[in-house]
Amino acid sequence: MKRQKVITNEFARFLRESGGVYGALGDFKLNHKPIRLFYGETVDEFGMPIDCLKYYFTLSNLQKKLSAVATVVVADTASFMNDSTVQKREHIRSSLNSRIELLNKIIAVYRLPIKIRLMSEQFMTDEYKKLRAEIAKVDLKVIEPLLSKTILPNKLAEERKKKFGYALDAVATGLLFDMKIGPPRERFYDEAGEKIMPGKLKSIYLTPTQPLGKNFAFFLTHPEIEEYGVTPYKAGSNKLQDFRIILGETSFIRAKELLETSFESENPDTVHPVKDIHAITEMAREFLGVKISKDTLSQLRECIYTPLGLEGI
Amino acid sequence: MNEYQEKIAIKKRLAIYYRDQSVKNGLTDMRRIKAYLPDDLMFRQLKRDLVIAHLDFEPILELIADKKEFVVVSGLNPSSTLHLGHQILFDLLLSLQKLGGRIYIPLTNDESYIDGKVQTMGESKRVAYEEILPSIIAFGFDPKRTHIYVDTEYPTLYPFAMRLSKYVSMAEVESLFGKESLVTPGQIFYRGCVQLAEILMPQLPEFGGPKHTLIPVGIDQHPYILLARDVAKRMGMVPPSELVMRFLPSLKDPEQKMSGSKPETAIYLSDTSEVIGKKIASAFTGAVSSLEEHRKFGAVPEACSVFALLSAYLESDRELQDLYSRYTKGELLTKELKEIAKRCITSVVFSHQQKKIAAQDKEVYLLTRPIQSYLD
């Protein structure tokens, strides 16, 4: 993805200085307060990847900077939508409960100024219903090319039959807010939103999340992952759950092994999976108020595993 | 100043030529791969930009990363003594062998004959066995993972090529190679079928079946690979990958390639140190003739046939970088550069000549296993 070079004001400088920001979309003149800021995530049966922390921390930093209302929207209904088997649904339901429990714990441990909202609750609001009805009237042909890029090729025909309901829910959710934070691939939802309601949503994309424990050849043979990364909040994205640090699932020893066997390079034109984890541990350290910075592994233990009580895994 | 501008113009033309060549007809330049490749796997030909483009090289890199074997096929037209331009290719093959490559080298004496580069088949066969084979052995290939054959002496190559003719249409061959290189029936059969047989043979059941194969080529050979990839798909084989090499420039003109049929453009691996010295002394350089202007403007290494020799053969990266910097600033004189090049190239050639004399056990390199499949 080409970094968007949009913004020139003070806020833009703040974004640029926040190491994990990868790109942005929209006009960043923010005229009213409070700004409604959000990050949305779905859940799978494998648990919460460490990469979610990057989004929670960045959301919290932005909340402080903008005096915004910051919300994590947990897409509970969307999490079930694409998985039909009863057993899998049960797994996801259980995962969803665990995710919310862990998210509450993270908010408490790091004192994050963010609130949680379930998508199912959102769907019940009049504001959402009205907006969704408006979006349903939009000529699909206009936004289909963008929405198609958010769907796996083998599921495209099925989604067409469903008139892209899942993707349009995601677009509508975005348009309920003023600003969102998301992974780079979500720009396609946001560009569709921009076509429907020009100028409504501002989006900030964080660096793509890359799997750990993979060598250089993996990224050369998976250009799509190199460009957009895996889905940060779904551990099973691209079936790479064994190559992610999953909070509460991955032991510290395994996390260490993943970091030590990961591709990492000084070249700025490559992916940086280890530096990305380091950035997450740095943010965790700052939120805990620990002054002295250490190496990635020490910070992973001291600022994430220990405070969240994950050491015994 | 005009002379200097002309050198700059050559540099620009070459940059544009290679930039354009490296991204056309499905090729990709090497920037992404160079960014990702770890230092311990970075081979000199890639580091020095002697390899300029690739097609589907990533699966080969995956095998290299997993320390698994892959196949490399690279033919050679045995019409004259080898020169430094050939050695670049063999150096690349050696680098690839160190990374896990099993090397197949067809000596295409049939091609030499049909293109009129030799007068008789016997002559091309003699050059292949007496000149080329000992030279290849002298490069130091591992005999267990190197398989050389002379086309006309490998009896089941042609029946396999004949079989392949069923998978190719005349229209395809014409569109890829152009009618001008398909004048005789021999040229049509060679370009449309025999070269395909050389490329695809390692994927036959007797050689272990379908597998990833890498073909290093000059830019003018790209059409062969496109045809081979199409035919491989039709036959249920793995489409071969390709590395495209920069040509080593003529000693007389950096925009032309070193050619074995034009002795003044090339340094042969059989040349004496005296001949090498004379050829380098009269080579085209990237420096202007006035010493004062050279000191003022500096030289243009990218437009220098002598610097190209050092880029290809000087061992030390640091020394090369230092020479580049000093030559560009006008601190290093052409005479000094030529002296360094003479020492470097004489050493490379002399070392090769010694090893060639000592080359033994030619038979262990020769491929004799007959092709049975696809012939019934």
Side-chain angles (χ1 to χ4, degrees):
Chain A
M1 177 189 163
K2 284 179 185 158
R3 286 166 196 257
Q4 315 272 332
K5 45 168 186 181
V6 192
I7 23 185
T8 53
N9 60 17
E10 187 203 344
F11 180 59
R13 277 197 294 281
F14 165 75
L15 286 181
R16 273 193 223 101
E17 285 157 14
S18 312
V21 174
Y22 187 65
L25 185 74
D27 175 1
F28 276 78
K29 285 174 201 151
L30 300 162
N31 298 324
H32 63 91
K33 289 194 175 176
I35 291 155
R36 294 190 300 176
L37 173 67
F38 94 107
Y39 150 69
E41 61 180 29
T42 55
V43 173
D44 67 14
E45 69 269 37
F46 298 105
M48 182 197 282
I50 193 170
D51 313 283
C52 290
L53 291 179
K54 182 167 71 174
Y55 288 83
Y56 304 150
F57 292 150
T58 307
L59 195 63
S60 302
N61 279 331
L62 283 175
Q63 189 279 336
K64 287 177 187 170
K65 179 76 186 170
L66 301 170
S67 304
V69 176
T71 309
V72 175
V73 175
V74 179
D76 50 348
T77 45
S79 301
F80 298 113
M81 216 175 259
N82 292 326
D83 291 302
S84 52
T85 64
V86 175
Q87 200 182 14
K88 211 167 180 187
R89 276 168 177 250
E90 280 313 307
H91 257 113
I92 293 173
R93 196 180 304 281
S94 154
S95 259
L96 187 63
N97 293 334
S98 309
R99 164 87 51 128
I100 291 168
E101 198 179 317
L102 183 54
L103 177 50
N104 275 315
K105 190 174 185 180
I106 289 165
I107 290 171
V109 166
Y110 297 101
R111 299 182 181 200
L112 303 181
I114 54 179
K115 59 179 188 171
I116 307 169
R117 180 142 206 201
L118 292 177
M119 202 178 200
S120 55
E121 291 167 5
Q122 195 101 299
F123 281 1
M124 302 305 290
T125 63
D126 290 342
E127 189 187 11
Y128 180 84
K129 284 178 188 168
K130 194 176 161 197
L131 180 64
R132 188 65 181 82
E134 283 297 308
I135 289 173
K137 289 180 201 162
V138 172
D139 182 1
L140 256 183
K141 279 180 199 157
V142 179
I143 51 174
E144 189 180 322
L146 290 166
L147 300 183
S148 299
K149 289 177 187 167
T150 67
I151 295 159
L152 290 171
N154 60 344
K155 294 195 171 168
L156 198 54
E158 195 186 328
E159 283 302 313
R160 260 198 200 106
K161 271 188 209 161
K162 293 180 191 168
K163 296 189 175 172
F164 294 96
Y166 177 91
L168 288 178
D169 284 344
V171 173
T173 303
L175 291 173
L176 280 179
F177 293 85
D178 302 311
M179 188 185 291
K180 74 169 269 190
I181 301 171
R185 190 183 285 280
E186 289 190 4
R187 68 181 254 229
F188 298 116
Y189 289 139
D190 305 336
E191 284 172 15
E194 179 66 17
K195 281 193 185 291
I196 296 165
M197 289 188 179
K200 173 75 173 70
L201 179 68
K202 292 108 177 98
S203 306
I204 294 164
Y205 306 109
L206 303 192
T207 46
T209 294
Q210 302 296 349
L212 299 164
K214 291 289 186 186
N215 62 25
F216 74 97
F218 175 85
F219 297 101
L220 286 172
T221 50
H222 295 81
E224 180 86 353
I225 291 180
E226 185 203 14
E227 185 173 8
Y228 290 108
V230 291
T231 309
Y233 40 80
K234 288 178 92 167
S237 171
N238 289 74
K239 297 183 179 165
L240 287 166
Q241 62 273 16
D242 294 338
F243 299 92
R244 309 279 297 271
I245 296 175
I246 304 171
L247 301 177
E249 298 289 334
T250 308
S251 69
F252 185 77
I253 291 171
R254 174 64 183 152
K256 180 172 181 275
E257 189 180 285
L258 283 171
L259 287 167
E260 285 173 350
T261 55
S262 281
F263 169 80
E264 190 52 65
S265 162
E266 290 305 312
N267 191 320
D269 296 331
T270 64
V271 298
H272 296 284
V274 179
K275 280 184 188 154
D276 207 40
I277 297 294
H278 182 76
I280 294 170
T281 66
E282 273 287 288
M283 286 195 274
R285 180 184 64 75
E286 283 166 12
F287 274 99
L288 289 174
V290 176
K291 295 233 164 100
I292 298 167
S293 183
K294 291 185 180 172
D295 64 275
T296 308
L297 270 175
S298 302
Q299 290 195 155
L300 180 66
R301 185 194 286 276
E302 291 167 23
C303 302
I304 294 178
Y305 268 67
T306 304
L308 291 176
L310 308 173
E311 291 265 52
I313 296 155
Chain B
M1 187 63 186
N2 284 342
E3 198 184 354
Y4 180 74
Q5 290 303 338
E6 177 51 29
K7 312 273 180 189
I8 292 286
I10 292 171
K11 172 184 169 177
K12 282 184 184 165
R13 284 198 297 272
L14 280 167
I16 290 167
Y17 172 77
Y18 281 116
R19 188 195 63 201
D20 291 352
Q21 294 297 324
S22 63
V23 293
K24 75 175 194 186
N25 295 326
L27 292 171
T28 308
D29 67 39
M30 303 304 293
R31 278 179 297 181
R32 183 165 167 260
I33 285 173
K34 283 177 78 173
Y36 273 95
L37 205 63
D39 288 347
D40 60 330
L41 299 179
M42 181 68 82
F43 44 98
R44 192 209 288 177
Q45 296 74 24
L46 191 53
K47 203 182 334 182
R48 302 265 175 102
D49 291 326
L50 299 171
V51 175
I52 57 161
H54 75 99
L55 180 59
D56 211 14
F57 187 40
E58 293 91 345
I60 303 287
L61 288 169
E62 205 167 17
L63 292 169
I64 290 171
D66 294 341
K67 300 193 186 310
K68 289 183 181 164
E69 185 176 278
F70 57 98
V71 159
V72 184
V73 180
S74 186
L76 184 85
N77 189 329
S79 53
S80 69
T81 310
L82 296 183
H83 56 70
L84 288 177
H86 294 118
Q87 184 165 346
I88 285 189
L89 170 68
F90 287 107
D91 287 343
L92 174 63
L93 295 182
L94 273 173
S95 297
L96 293 168
Q97 186 161 74
K98 283 177 191 154
L99 295 171
R102 178 175 288 278
I103 315 283
Y104 288 81
I105 305 174
L107 298 179
T108 60
N109 66 325
D110 43 2
E111 185 188 17
S112 311
Y113 180 71
I114 59 167
D115 283 343
K117 290 185 176 173
V118 289
Q119 292 304 306
T120 64
M121 288 277 225
E123 187 187 343
S124 66
K125 207 164 82 179
R126 186 194 60 73
V127 173
Y129 281 114
E130 294 177 16
E131 187 56 45
I132 308 296
L133 184 57
S135 262
I136 294 174
I137 295 168
F139 288 123
F141 287 98
D142 173 1
K144 289 182 185 150
R145 293 190 296 133
T146 308
H147 311 287
I148 304 170
Y149 59 92
V150 178
D151 276 7
T152 58
E153 305 303 297
Y154 193 67
T156 44
L157 182 70
Y158 293 126
F160 177 47
M162 195 71 78
R163 179 70 192 270
L164 286 172
S165 70
K166 291 278 184 188
Y167 293 86
V168 191
S169 75
M170 196 56 215
E172 268 179 305
V173 178
E174 277 182 1
S175 73
L176 283 169
F177 299 104
K179 285 188 176 174
E180 63 282 1
S181 66
L182 299 169
V183 178
T184 68
Q187 287 173 329
I188 294 167
F189 183 57
Y190 181 79
R191 299 205 161 88
C193 304
V194 177
Q195 185 133 356
L196 277 180
E198 293 160 358
I199 292 171
L200 299 178
M201 195 177 76
Q203 296 200 52
L204 291 175
E206 44 272 69
F207 295 96
K211 59 176 71 69
H212 286 291
T213 310
L214 177 65
I215 323 289
V217 295
I219 190 66
D220 53 338
Q221 292 164 309
H222 182 54
Y224 287 112
I225 309 303
L226 292 178
L227 182 63
R229 285 175 66 85
D230 284 346
V231 174
K233 285 177 202 160
R234 287 169 210 162
M235 296 181 72
M237 292 177 171
V238 182
S241 305
E242 175 186 8
L243 284 181
V244 178
M245 300 190 70
R246 180 188 288 268
F247 59 74
L248 190 64
S250 154
L251 293 173
K252 296 294 179 191
D253 180 353
E255 293 179 273
Q256 299 296 320
K257 68 177 176 182
M258 194 174 269
S259 166
S261 59
K262 295 175 188 162
E264 72 283 4
T265 71
I267 293 174
Y268 296 97
L269 296 181
S270 55
D271 280 345
T272 62
S273 82
E274 191 186 356
V275 171
I276 292 169
K278 277 184 185 165
K279 284 181 175 177
I280 290 177
S282 64
F284 185 92
T285 74
V288 293
S289 32
S290 145
L291 181 62
E292 193 188 341
E293 286 195 0
H294 177 67
R295 293 281 193 211
K296 187 175 173 189
F297 299 115
V300 185
E302 294 84 354
C304 179
S305 294
V306 179
F307 197 86
L309 293 174
L310 290 167
S311 276
Y313 291 104
L314 195 67
E315 277 292 325
S316 161
D317 292 336
R318 189 180 287 180
E319 192 183 350
L320 186 70
Q321 188 54 46
D322 178 59
L323 291 177
Y324 180 92
S325 169
R326 287 167 53 218
Y327 193 41
T328 308
K329 289 177 191 163
E331 294 168 7
L332 182 73
L333 301 183
T334 307
K335 193 180 162 190
E336 294 167 320
L337 185 82
K338 284 182 170 176
E339 194 52 42
I340 294 165
K342 185 188 159 191
R343 277 203 305 274
C344 168
I345 299 304
T346 303
S347 160
V348 168
V349 171
F350 182 71
S351 161
H352 178 78
Q353 289 170 355
Q354 296 297 105
K355 287 177 189 161
K356 192 176 164 193
I357 291 166
Q360 288 179 342
D361 296 333
K362 294 171 194 167
E363 288 72 22
V364 299
Y365 289 89
L366 286 172
L367 185 67
T368 53
R369 191 184 312 165
I371 299 169
Q372 293 299 329
S373 54
Y374 286 91
L375 298 185
D376 296 332

